[in-house]
Amino acid sequence: MAQSIQAIRGMNDLLPEDTSVWQKVEKVLRQTVASYGYSEMRMPIVEHTNLFSRAIGEVTDVVEKEMYTFEDRSGDSLSLRPEGTAGCVRAALEHSLIYNQEQRLWYMGPMFRHERPQKGRYRQFHQLGVEVFGLEGPDIDAEIIALTHDLWCKLGIADQLCLELNTLGNSEERKIYKENLVKFLEAHFEDLDEDSKRRTHTNPLRVLDSKDEKVKEILKDAPALYDFLGEESKAHFENLQKLLTSLGIKFTINPRLVRGLDYYNLTVFEWTTTALGAQGTVCGGGRYDGLVEQLGGKATKAVGFGLGLERLILLLTTLQKVAPSSPVDIFVCGMGENIESHQLALCAQMRSAFADCGVLNHCGGGNFKRLLKHADKVQAKVALILGEQELQNNTVMVKNLATGEQEEVSRQADVLTSYVAKILKK
Ligand code: ATP
Ligand code: MG
């Protein structure tokens, strides 16, 4: 026997019971972004590598170690997208969507990062991304946070997620802060772990979210970014907090929250849960006012977030907030000679009467017991059974599979439809 080939580590198949859950969650996500008046974007999964190195930053974990980069047949360096913001900005610029106009955009799809696979961390994962261009006030920051909060409420998990907020100030303020932070880190250099030592000179802000206990202890005395902010940056942050409070959205300020990518300024936020272990960040975002210009456009204010679908769905299934469901509602079967064409006609009748129901035709005949076993297996709600007698009477045997009750019902369209509708509670 030939050796079987398996999926790539960290890249998961979604099986029918998974996709039924995913579809329900995706429906809530789509409805919510639509209810805020946002428009969908669909970008390619592959982009030029330099889009990501320029947007995300050369010395970030994502670009340094996590990207799937390859040369195509013409020798161009391409990468599978590790996140959606860079591609969304590229597309918006390329098609003049953001030149002197505001845009509220969203997208959903797979992202790729070569990380160590574990619960909640995969090499192919999916994000819902939201990006807003051309608006600078804290009101839009509050709006996208409110949108995520609405999602948690609709999905019944608002009490499981905590909002952490921070501000990174503008690039001038951050530059002066970084100089002070580097001086502080250099003074404690020997006590830092290897990662923090390396980051001290490549990406010092990232040292702030180090998970190393000793580094955390040292950082207690580090200079605080907030003390380096000017009036404008402080006002933006305070106004955002006021807006969130007025919406009844609770938050905590986490001065160590810096986010992994280089392009953020002012507002940054994360929604975290303790229910998933180490991979507790379900959604993260913030402002990135410098990115559009960095990618060759005119300076444009921007804010957005990325929400990890695997982690969200893991949380929902762990808390039993969503369960797999069957795609079949109505099961049609028959016994006897030449019954197939009658079954097919009955299926067609049911599909046109119940457009949003799944109607499954049992193929291959069999005895009554076998047919009902199949109906049970596909978790249908109602079985329609045709036999010689029903054909003669122009009727069908209708069995409510939840109660076991069955009755011979006229095949006259309105009679049958209303009988089945009652069982389906339509
Ligand atoms: P983490 O702190 O877990 O490394 P991140 O800061 O790298 O996350 P972002 O780039 O902000 O993540 O992406 C936004 C969201 O996408 C995360 O909050 C998370 O829910 C999800 N995500 C990121 N990387 C992965 C991954 N490898 N597998 C599954 N989900 C992921
Ligand atoms: Mg990461």
Side-chain angles (χ1 to χ4, degrees):
M1 217 168 30
Q3 210 182 1
S4 61
I5 298 172
Q6 297 193 324
I8 297 165
R9 210 160 91 85
M11 303 206 180
N12 301 316
D13 298 308
L14 293 178
L15 305 181
E17 63 171 337
D18 305 316
T19 53
S20 71
V21 166
W22 277 68
Q23 282 175 10
K24 285 180 206 166
V25 176
E26 285 166 0
K27 194 168 165 193
V28 176
L29 301 182
R30 287 206 169 87
Q31 278 170 346
T32 306
V33 286
S35 76
Y36 277 73
Y38 287 50
S39 310
E40 187 185 6
M41 286 283 279
R42 296 192 188 184
M43 297 86 67
I45 282 167
V46 187
E47 299 270 2
H48 289 290
T49 302
N50 63 1
L51 171 68
F52 300 117
S53 41
R54 230 209 277 177
I56 300 170
E58 294 278 3
V59 289
T60 52
D61 283 352
V62 170
V63 170
E64 254 180 351
K65 341 186 253 216
E66 296 172 2
M67 270 208 305
Y68 279 92
T69 297
F70 60 96
E71 246 182 43
D72 76 355
R73 286 172 194 272
S74 0
D76 295 330
S77 178
L78 307 181
S79 294
L80 301 187
R81 62 184 187 191
E83 53 95 66
T85 305
C88 187
V89 171
R90 196 252 332 120
L93 276 175
E94 197 167 325
H95 304 286
S96 307
L97 295 188
I98 48 179
Y99 189 76
N100 288 342
Q101 55 183 322
E102 60 181 69
Q103 289 285 355
R104 288 171 166 87
L105 306 173
W106 69 273
Y107 50 82
M108 191 148 55
M111 308 292 162
F112 303 83
R113 296 185 193 177
H114 194 273
E115 305 195 68
R116 191 169 70 79
Q118 51 198 294
K119 183 181 167 197
R121 191 178 295 286
Y122 311 102
R123 290 180 173 174
Q124 173 173 330
F125 62 98
H126 298 75
Q127 280 185 349
L128 165 74
V130 158
E131 319 288 352
V132 178
F133 299 101
L135 295 170
E136 66 180 331
D139 49 349
I140 188 67
D141 302 9
E143 175 176 305
I144 64 165
I145 292 173
L147 189 160
T148 51
H149 184 254
D150 271 2
L151 280 175
W152 317 145
C153 293
K154 285 186 192 160
L155 294 166
I157 49 171
D159 58 341
Q160 297 289 325
L161 287 155
C162 294
L163 174 62
E164 294 185 20
L165 271 190
N166 193 19
T167 177
L168 300 178
N170 64 31
S171 58
E172 269 310 299
E173 292 155 358
R174 218 160 41 247
K175 189 165 158 249
I176 300 170
Y177 171 69
K178 269 190 200 169
E179 288 163 10
N180 281 268
L181 178 65
V182 170
K183 266 190 219 143
F184 172 87
L185 294 172
E186 281 171 342
H188 297 84
F189 203 70
E190 286 318 309
D191 296 322
L192 299 179
D193 68 325
E194 284 312 309
D195 263 353
S196 303
K197 277 184 179 161
R198 192 167 49 84
R199 286 181 176 148
T200 296
H201 296 109
T202 57
N203 197 351
L205 283 184
R206 279 312 297 275
V207 180
L208 293 180
D209 74 350
S210 168
K211 306 282 178 288
D212 187 275
E213 286 307 320
K214 203 164 158 199
V215 175
K216 276 194 198 164
E217 195 54 40
I218 295 168
L219 285 172
K220 283 188 179 155
D221 301 320
L225 176 52
Y226 197 79
D227 298 333
F228 291 76
L229 299 187
E231 287 314 309
E232 243 180 78
S233 296
K234 281 186 179 163
H236 187 104
F237 195 41
E238 272 149 30
N239 285 328
L240 169 62
Q241 293 173 49
K242 278 189 203 142
L243 290 170
L244 292 175
T245 305
S246 75
L247 288 168
I249 300 175
K250 294 197 191 80
F251 55 87
T252 53
I253 294 173
N254 174 1
R256 306 252 176 274
L257 180 67
V258 292
R259 312 267 309 120
L261 318 179
D262 264 5
Y263 48 58
Y264 290 105
N265 67 298
L266 290 173
T267 311
V268 286
F269 67 91
E270 282 188 357
W271 285 99
T272 59
T273 173
T274 50
L276 292 181
Q279 271 57 251
T281 308
V282 173
C283 173
R287 213 161 242 292
Y288 52 96
D289 297 328
L291 184 61
V292 175
E293 199 174 12
Q294 211 173 301
L295 291 180
K298 187 178 139 212
T300 304
K301 304 288 178 186
V303 62
F305 67 77
L307 187 167
L309 294 193
E310 279 78 2
R311 290 187 196 172
L312 175 63
I313 288 166
L314 209 53
L315 183 62
L316 289 166
T317 46
T318 307
L319 301 169
Q320 297 182 334
K321 297 288 180 186
V322 55
S325 56
S326 159
V328 180
D329 302 290
I330 303 170
F331 181 84
V332 173
C333 58
M335 290 171 295
E337 295 269 304
N338 301 323
I339 200 76
E340 292 88 350
S341 63
H342 299 283
Q343 272 179 242
L344 289 171
L346 183 55
C347 284
Q349 187 184 340
M350 287 297 106
R351 289 188 188 114
S352 67
F354 300 101
D356 58 348
C357 285
V359 180
L360 189 102
N361 184 36
H362 171 87
C363 295
N367 61 29
F368 194 66
K369 205 171 148 203
R370 183 166 163 240
L371 299 180
L372 286 185
K373 217 169 153 189
H374 188 190
D376 254 1
K377 180 154 188 262
V378 297
Q379 296 170 13
K381 299 185 181 82
V382 55
L384 306 189
I385 307 146
L386 287 172
E388 311 261 322
Q389 185 191 318
E390 285 81 14
L391 283 191
Q392 266 173 20
N393 300 346
N394 196 29
T395 57
V396 57
M397 187 64 78
V398 181
K399 188 173 174 77
N400 179 338
L401 293 162
T403 61
E405 282 167 67
Q406 68 179 48
E407 197 174 332
E408 195 176 338
V409 181
S410 161
R411 268 195 72 175
Q412 216 186 315
D414 49 344
V415 179
L416 182 57
T417 303
S418 62
Y419 190 93
V420 173
K422 244 183 244 149
I423 299 179
L424 295 173
K425 301 194 178 79
K426 292 277 174 196

